[in-house]
């Protein structure tokens, strides 16, 4: 079954973020907020995970939002409308639990993590919750989907590290203010590991702030996504081993030992760089050949 | 009994050369060797060897046909019992199955049954004589098979022969289960696996890849799609991870991750293929089964300078195929028996640096019939390494089972069958590692075949 790209567009002005719609009717049919897929672009490609950022059951499409960080994501960015992706597997992972909470829910998206926040915010909003969204990025060119997030939020706060849009600072700054001002039932944080670590720390009942249940989305390195390789494993603070692909990706942020995970991310760094550099070189050569 | 001529020894790649490549180690019999070996068979009236084979191949019959030069009939006769002879000839633990029971093994060496089986399968492939096995007329009744490991493949083939319309649903992008993601190329070339799977195409079996049942479709969806019976052959691949300090250091990985990256994703061809694997100079593998041996030999081929296997029991208890143990020794893999890890130590960047082991001794016999290893006090010692691979066993694959909470499992978490080979849910059958726990290729095939028979009976009883 070929998985055709029906739409592709750049997000923001950074040139590193893009959105694609893929024709995958069976997956769209079963997708829910919290699910992800594994893709393999071509015969020699890696299997790598991407969140289902949106889905349209009528059209049979799923939407992915991708940030270019290495070879596989760059290769995906070079696929155009009409191209086909070799393998798409999913929906994987557990859907998030949707219910009505007593107090508002704070949903925090950092960088490309804004995308997976969208279906969660949408479904929780539809269940009658009050949604306060905080979107964070290094700079405003890396922000996207403000309009979509506004539509599913009661309040939207933006924070950029350089102050180019919204509050100048980290997402934890407005979070701290919210936590000290009003009762919050749930915090959801999706973004870079370090951001999730700091959010989980802030909601763990420190500095006189209340302890609030916090879900984080673990983007560990994965191979099969079915609980069979252990590549995605992460330890909880009590030393137990968990598999993010089958127990997550959304898990209780207060039980995760982030320091170990931050380190596990670096396992293949040297190889990833090699693969990335080779591919960029190859692309440059191809461009030159095309020019001549 | 008169003395028989010596057993033919299969030619192999030189250990010093093969330790650096992924090409097949054992090269197969020449025709002349196959003939000589076939002559050794006594054509017993009550052949014990057949009882040793989990699918009861008529061994004396195919060997006799080799003697008579009728290779085509010989391979046909094997395929009546076993649709994957090129695979079984290579990876069956013959030493504890067919060849163990061969009468010759009492006094001399047994007939090389596996090698002869492989010879015929390779001969068929080389001469492109693959034929479609005989089938009953199509009956247009749909049956689903979940998982394309040896259990699923065999079940699907037999169901097709009974005339059913069979679809295999497989989670990965390619078929074969452990045969492709677990067993490495140098022991079982992947084009051999592909070719055997092609037999299923001839039989009209459909395959749907990238389909994780329990996620994209549930068992109920399949029933609604009109599948009258369903076979579950999802295997047991969840890695056991020993609870020892230092597990989360970088450089510690499960054999499954290591082998899947290398075999399925072809990390041994990085950077031509995108999936990376990190290896380092010294690699230690924990375990004593086929998985441990495969991991060690892969590590060697990926460029490790030294590879050590640490096993907590002794050589005699090692469950790995004997032949592979010898191969590993020839290739320079070091074995440390009666040795168990207690602690993994890391450097300041959280990479593995050293493993602390404890010496073991064998005590009383345990429930597995082997002597239980017990630690010897104050015998700890350390070995430096860059990579630690854990190959201490596996558990049932979780996704399908989780999506089917009503299915009855045994104490160990594997699917429980009734006397008819059916699970507690009507129309749902199962077999292979998901029922037995990790076993062998041929026992999974035997289970697939039994299930196909049971499904045939079940459906025929429903429609009559
Ligand atoms: C459940 C899940 C959902 C995800 N959803 C999305 C998504 O919606 N959009 C998106 O852009 N990315 C998502 N990711 C991350 C994405 O899978 C990685 O960015 C991708 O695999 C990187 O591949 P690469 O070859 O381009 O980069 P690589 O060369 O593999 O890596 C480049 C850099 O990224 C880091 N990296 C590698 N793998 C990961 C990873 N899995 N997570 C985080 N950092 C990684 C490396 O340490 C390295 O620094 C998700 C990951 C998971 C586990
Ligand atoms: C490294 C290694 C080496 C081995 N060496 C030998 C050997 O030399 N000789 C020998 O006889 N045995 C060997 N074995 C054991 C043997 O391979 C297994 O016993 C056998 O493969 C079990 O077959 P199976 O069909 O039950 O399951 P598997 O081979 O595990 O196949 C199960 C299949 O189901 C798929 N699946 C899982 N969940 C789902 C789902 N939800 N939906 C769809 N598909 C799903 C999996 O992707 C897989 O393809 C070895 C095992 C390993 C791991
Ligand atoms: S299938 Fe395996 S056990 Fe049976 S005869 Fe062949 S090699 Fe022996
Ligand atoms: S037991 Fe040995 S000698 Fe007898 S028929 Fe079988 S293979 Fe031949
Ligand atoms: S990705 Fe392999 S176990 Fe989770």
């Amino acid at each position: 079954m070929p998985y055709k790209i029906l739409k592709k567009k750049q997000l923001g002005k950074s040139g590193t973020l893009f959105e694609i719609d893929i024709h995958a009717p069976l997956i769209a049919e079963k997708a829910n907020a919290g699910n992800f897929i594994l893709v393999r672009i071509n015969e020699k490609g890696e299997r790598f995970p991407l969140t289902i950022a949106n889905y349209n059951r009528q059209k049979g499409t799923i939407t992915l939002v991708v940030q270019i960080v290495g070879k596989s994501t760059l290769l995906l960015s070079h696929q155009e409308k009409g191209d086909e992706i070799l393998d798409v597997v999913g929906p994987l992972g557990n859907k998030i639990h949707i219910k009505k909470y007593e107090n508002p829910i704070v949903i925090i998206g950092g960088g490309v993590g804004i995308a997976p926040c969208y279906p969660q915010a949408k479904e929780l909003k539809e269940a009658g919750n009050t949604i306060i969204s905080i979107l964070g990025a290094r700079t405003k060119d890396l922000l996207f989907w403000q309009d979509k997030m506004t539509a599913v939020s009661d309040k939207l706060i933006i924070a950029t590290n350089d102050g180019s849009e919204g509050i100048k600072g980290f997402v934890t700054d407005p979070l701290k203010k919210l936590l000290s001002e009003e009762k919050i039932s749930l915090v959801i944080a999706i973004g870079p590991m370090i951001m999730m670590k700091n959010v989980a720390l802030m909601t763990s009942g420190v500095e006189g702030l209340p302890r609030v249940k916090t879900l984080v989305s673990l983007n560990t390195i994965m191979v099969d996504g079915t609980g069979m390789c252990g590549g995605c494993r992460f330890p909880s603070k009590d030393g137990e081993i968990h598999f993010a692909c089958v127990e997550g990706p959304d898990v209780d942020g207060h039980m995760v030992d982030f320091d170990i995970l931050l380190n596990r991310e670096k396992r293949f760094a040297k190889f990833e760089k090699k693969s990335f550099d080779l591919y960029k070189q190859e692309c440059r050569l191809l461009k030159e050949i095309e020019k001549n | 009994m008169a003395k028989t001529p010596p057993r033919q020894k299969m030619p192999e790649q030189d250990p010093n050369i093969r330790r650096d490549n992924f090409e097949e180690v054992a090269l197969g019999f020449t025709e002349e060797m196959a003939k000589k070996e076939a002559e050794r068979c006594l054509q017993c009236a009550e052949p014990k060897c057949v009882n040793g084979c989990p699918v009861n191949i008529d061994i004396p019959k195919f060997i006799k046909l080799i003697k008579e030069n009728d290779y085509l009939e010989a391979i046909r006769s094997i395929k009546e019992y076993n649709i994957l002879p090129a695979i079984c000839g290579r990876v069956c633990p013959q030493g504890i199955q067919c060849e163990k029971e061969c009468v010759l093994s009492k006094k001399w060496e047994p007939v090389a049954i596996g090698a002869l089986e492989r010879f015929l399968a390779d001969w068929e492939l080389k001469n492109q004589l693959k034929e479609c096995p005989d089938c009953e007329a199509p009956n247009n009744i749909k049956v689903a098979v979940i998982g394309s490991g040896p259990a699923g493949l065999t079940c699907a083939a037999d169901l097709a022969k009974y005339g059913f319309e069979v679809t295999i649903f497989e989670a990965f992008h390619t078929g074969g289960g452990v045969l492709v993601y677990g067993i490495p190329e140098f022991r079982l070339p992947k084009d051999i696996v592909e070719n055997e799977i092609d037999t299923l195409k001839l039989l009209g079996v459909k395959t749907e890849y990238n389909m994780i049942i329990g996620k994209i479709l549930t068992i109920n969806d399949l029933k609604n799609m009109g599948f009258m019976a369903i076979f579950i052959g999802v295997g047991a691949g969840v890695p056991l991870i020993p609870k020892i300090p230092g597990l989360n250091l970088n450089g510690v990985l499960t054999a499954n991750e290591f082998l899947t990256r290398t075999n399925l994703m072809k990390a041994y061809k990085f950077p031509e293929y995108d999936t990376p694997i990190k290896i380092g100079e010294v690699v230690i593998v924990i375990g004593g089964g086929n998985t441990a041996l495969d991991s060690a030999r892969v590590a060697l081929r990926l460029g490790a300078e030294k590879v050590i296997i640490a096993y907590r029991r002794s050589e005699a208890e090692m469950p790995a195929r004997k032949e592979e143990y010898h191969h590993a020794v020839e290739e320079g893999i070091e074995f440390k028996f009666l040795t168990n890890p207690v602690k993994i130590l890391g450097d300041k960047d959280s990479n593995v640096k050293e493993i602390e082991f404890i010496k073991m001794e064998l005590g009383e016999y345990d429930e597995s019939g082997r002597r239980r290893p017990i630690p010897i006090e104050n015998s700890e010692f350390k070995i430096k390494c860059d990579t630690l691979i854990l190959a201490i066993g596996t558990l049932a694959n979780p996704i399908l089972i989780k999506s089917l909470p009503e299915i009855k499992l045994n104490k160990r978490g594997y699917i429980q069958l009734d006397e008819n080979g059916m699970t507690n849910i009507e129309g749902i059958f199962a077999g292979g590692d998901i029922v037995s726990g990790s076993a062998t290729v041929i026992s999974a095939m035997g289970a697939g075949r039994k299930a196909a028979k049971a499904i045939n009976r079940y459906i025929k009883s429903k429609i009559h």
Side-chain angles (χ1 to χ4, degrees):
Chain A
M1 202 173 18
Y3 303 89
K4 203 177 209 146
I5 298 178
L6 299 181
K7 208 172 93 189
K8 181 178 157 200
K9 87 175 192 228
Q10 294 294 321
L11 289 179
K13 295 197 193 76
S14 67
T16 63
L17 279 163
F18 62 99
E19 173 186 336
I20 53 173
D21 284 1
I22 296 179
H23 185 65
L26 271 178
I27 298 178
E29 182 66 39
K30 288 294 168 88
N32 280 294
N35 288 147
F36 65 93
I37 51 159
L38 284 167
V39 299
R40 191 173 70 129
I41 301 170
N42 57 35
E43 199 51 49
K44 294 182 177 174
E46 264 184 302
R47 282 163 71 95
F48 65 102
L50 295 168
T51 308
I52 301 176
N54 207 353
Y55 49 84
N56 185 324
R57 301 206 213 279
Q58 276 84 40
K59 287 193 193 147
T61 58
I62 54 172
T63 302
L64 310 172
V65 171
V66 188
Q67 177 164 39
I68 301 170
V69 295
K71 158 104 193 242
S72 299
T73 43
L74 182 62
L75 184 64
L76 186 57
S77 79
H78 292 159
Q79 311 303 306
E80 298 301 335
K81 182 178 164 180
D83 286 349
E84 279 169 4
I85 293 176
L86 188 59
D87 299 304
V88 179
V89 196
L92 289 160
N94 300 306
K95 61 180 181 192
I96 60 154
H97 185 59
I98 303 289
K99 68 166 196 184
K100 166 84 178 80
Y101 289 85
E102 203 178 322
N103 300 308
I105 299 172
V106 177
I107 299 188
I108 306 172
V112 67
I114 294 170
C117 285
Y118 173 72
Q120 304 208 2
K122 183 165 163 250
E123 289 184 18
L124 285 164
K125 173 85 183 158
E126 282 164 5
N129 288 290
T130 303
I131 308 288
I132 304 173
S133 298
I134 306 177
L135 310 185
R138 273 202 319 278
T139 180
K140 80 172 199 295
D141 286 350
L142 291 167
L143 284 168
F144 60 95
W145 282 16
Q146 292 98 317
D147 51 339
K148 271 194 151 90
M149 286 303 287
T150 305
V152 295
S153 309
D154 294 274
K155 186 171 165 193
L156 184 90
I157 303 168
I158 288 177
T160 51
N161 299 5
D162 62 359
S164 52
E165 193 169 330
I167 303 169
K168 179 172 171 17
F170 295 106
V171 290
T172 38
D173 300 336
L175 174 65
K176 191 170 183 177
K177 192 151 170 283
L178 282 171
L179 289 171
S180 57
E181 282 170 0
E182 58 183 306
K183 266 204 146 85
I184 303 293
S185 282
L186 176 70
V187 173
I188 296 174
I190 310 180
M193 205 70 89
I194 188 75
M195 177 200 99
M196 296 192 286
K197 174 186 165 174
N198 288 325
V199 168
L201 182 67
M202 180 165 283
T203 58
S204 65
V206 289
E207 300 177 35
L209 296 170
R211 185 178 170 96
V212 182
K213 186 176 170 198
T214 299
L215 293 176
V216 297
S217 186
L218 293 183
N219 46 359
T220 52
I221 295 173
M222 295 185 179
V223 185
D224 60 299
T226 66
M228 209 200 65
C229 75
C232 65
R233 80 191 133 94
F234 70 95
S236 47
K237 286 179 180 148
D238 58 8
E240 288 293 323
I241 299 282
H242 304 268
F243 287 7
C245 68
V246 285
E247 290 173 54
D250 296 291
V251 299
D252 176 0
H254 293 142
M255 72 152 191
V256 178
D257 189 332
F258 280 103
D259 292 331
I260 289 182
L261 263 185
L262 277 162
N263 193 56
R264 275 182 68 75
E265 293 268 282
K266 292 186 283 202
R267 277 185 294 158
F268 299 104
K270 242 176 40 203
F271 296 87
E272 287 157 350
K273 187 169 180 312
K274 181 169 175 187
S275 187
F276 197 25
D277 291 346
L278 274 171
Y279 182 60
K280 282 190 290 192
Q281 201 181 343
E282 212 175 278
C283 292
R284 263 199 305 278
L285 285 173
L286 275 177
K287 270 197 195 126
E288 272 167 34
I289 294 170
E290 271 170 24
K291 260 192 253 156
N292 297 334
Chain B
M1 246 188 280
K3 190 170 169 14
T4 56
R7 178 173 154 126
Q8 294 292 311
K9 196 173 162 358
M10 190 178 291
E12 289 164 356
Q13 256 200 83
D14 182 319
N16 288 320
I17 295 171
R18 71 178 192 237
R19 61 190 301 232
D20 291 323
N21 68 46
F22 275 82
E23 276 145 49
E24 197 168 12
V25 168
L27 303 172
F29 279 171
T30 59
E31 187 168 354
E32 193 194 337
M33 295 170 92
K35 275 260 157 32
K36 278 196 185 145
E37 188 61 27
E39 289 299 335
R40 296 181 65 230
C41 172
L42 305 176
Q43 293 292 316
C44 307
E46 278 176 50
K48 292 276 189 304
C49 53
V50 177
N51 304 333
C53 169
V55 295
N56 307 120
I57 292 182
D58 191 342
I59 296 167
K61 179 173 173 193
F62 88 73
I63 296 183
K64 182 160 173 271
L65 286 162
I66 295 181
K67 286 194 213 178
E68 292 165 359
N69 282 327
D70 197 347
Y71 302 147
L72 192 60
E73 266 316 310
I75 187 76
R76 277 186 190 141
S77 131
I78 289 180
K79 283 202 170 169
E80 269 174 50
Y81 305 87
N82 176 355
I83 55 148
L84 311 173
I87 294 170
C88 292
R90 286 173 165 83
V91 304
C92 263
Q94 289 94 3
I96 55 169
Q97 295 179 343
C98 51
E99 294 180 16
K100 179 177 175 219
E101 303 299 327
C102 171
V103 286
L104 293 187
S105 68
K106 304 255 151 44
K107 272 184 137 170
W108 302 287
E109 282 188 295
V111 174
I113 301 168
L116 289 175
E117 187 172 335
R118 168 183 167 165
F119 166 75
L120 288 170
D122 289 357
W123 171 85
E124 183 199 46
L125 174 61
K126 203 172 85 205
N127 295 294
Q128 302 206 326
L129 292 169
K130 192 192 280 296
E131 6 173 68
C132 184
D134 292 337
C135 291
E136 290 174 28
N139 55 28
N140 300 320
I141 296 171
K142 283 164 53 170
V143 182
V145 168
I146 306 173
S148 66
L153 292 175
T154 306
C155 186
D158 278 8
L159 287 168
K161 289 186 203 163
Y162 289 126
F164 296 111
E165 191 182 319
V166 188
T167 308
I168 299 182
F169 295 93
E170 165 57 45
F172 275 130
H173 50 258
T174 177
V178 171
L179 305 176
V180 290
Y181 79 72
I183 305 182
E185 181 75 18
F186 56 83
R187 212 149 67 74
L188 181 62
K190 299 311 153 225
D191 51 358
I192 297 277
V193 179
E194 251 170 63
N195 178 64
E196 299 264 63
I197 293 178
D198 280 347
T199 310
L200 295 194
K201 283 194 203 136
L202 288 178
L203 282 163
V205 174
K206 281 183 252 168
T207 4
E208 298 256 18
Y209 294 122
N210 296 327
M211 296 292 260
I212 301 181
I213 303 304
K215 290 288 181 186
I216 193 158
L217 293 172
T218 60
I219 294 280
N220 261 334
D221 291 332
L222 293 177
K223 282 188 179 162
N224 293 337
M225 287 159 74
F227 289 100
M228 222 178 136
I230 298 168
F231 173 76
I232 301 175
V234 293
V238 173
L240 271 169
I241 300 181
K243 272 207 183 145
I244 50 175
L247 268 183
N248 297 305
L249 292 164
N250 287 349
V252 180
L253 70 173
T254 68
N256 271 6
E257 181 180 0
F258 183 68
L259 292 172
T260 305
R261 281 178 179 273
T262 329
N263 300 332
L264 180 74
M265 303 309 296
K266 307 222 179 326
Y268 67 95
K269 294 185 183 165
F270 181 88
E272 183 197 346
Y273 281 72
D274 292 342
T275 303
I277 192 81
K278 194 177 155 196
I279 190 79
E281 282 171 21
V282 182
V283 177
I284 300 180
V285 182
I286 310 292
N290 284 315
T291 311
L293 261 64
D294 283 344
S295 301
R297 296 171 72 199
V298 165
L300 192 73
R301 285 160 172 78
L302 287 172
E305 273 158 35
K306 185 173 172 150
V307 182
I308 303 164
I309 289 185
Y311 179 49
R312 64 192 178 122
R313 302 181 197 250
S314 73
E315 184 182 333
E317 286 87 23
M318 258 204 328
R321 263 183 113 222
K322 284 287 160 294
E323 192 179 330
E324 306 309 339
Y325 170 54
H326 297 306
H327 283 155
V329 172
E330 281 172 1
E331 287 165 12
I333 309 260
E334 242 179 75
F335 284 80
K336 291 212 180 294
F337 294 107
L338 295 165
T339 301
N340 210 23
V342 283
K343 202 194 277 172
I344 311 166
L345 303 147
D347 64 13
K348 61 176 193 333
D349 298 321
S350 298
N351 295 314
V352 180
K353 189 180 78 182
E354 224 172 11
I355 315 298
E356 184 176 312
F357 289 101
I358 191 159
K359 283 260 156 223
M360 311 291 275
E361 60 189 348
L362 294 178
E364 297 295 304
Y365 286 86
D366 63 14
E367 62 281 5
S368 76
R370 298 176 298 179
R371 291 175 65 190
R372 187 190 302 279
I374 30 187
I376 303 173
E377 253 178 77
N378 297 324
S379 66
E380 288 88 347
F381 66 99
K382 291 180 188 159
I383 308 179
K384 283 199 170 20
C385 73
D386 305 290
T387 300
L388 180 73
I389 299 171
L390 306 167
I392 59 165
T394 52
L395 301 169
N397 278 351
I399 285 191
L400 186 100
I401 289 180
K402 253 179 143 181
S403 76
L404 207 61
E406 65 271 33
I407 200 163
K408 201 163 147 201
L409 305 177
N410 66 20
K411 279 201 298 279
R412 292 155 63 225
Y414 297 100
I415 296 177
Q416 178 107 40
L417 300 180
D418 67 12
E419 58 284 359
N420 299 316
M422 192 153 82
T423 67
N424 63 317
I425 309 171
E426 198 190 322
I428 315 278
F429 298 75
D433 281 5
I434 192 62
V435 170
S436 60
S438 326
T440 61
V441 172
I442 189 70
S443 59
M445 292 181 60
R449 151 152 292 196
K450 220 169 119 193
K453 235 186 230 155
I455 290 171
N456 186 36
R457 245 190 338 249
Y458 165 78
I459 293 182
K460 302 271 155 83
S461 79
K462 285 259 145 188
I463 54 174
H464 284 148

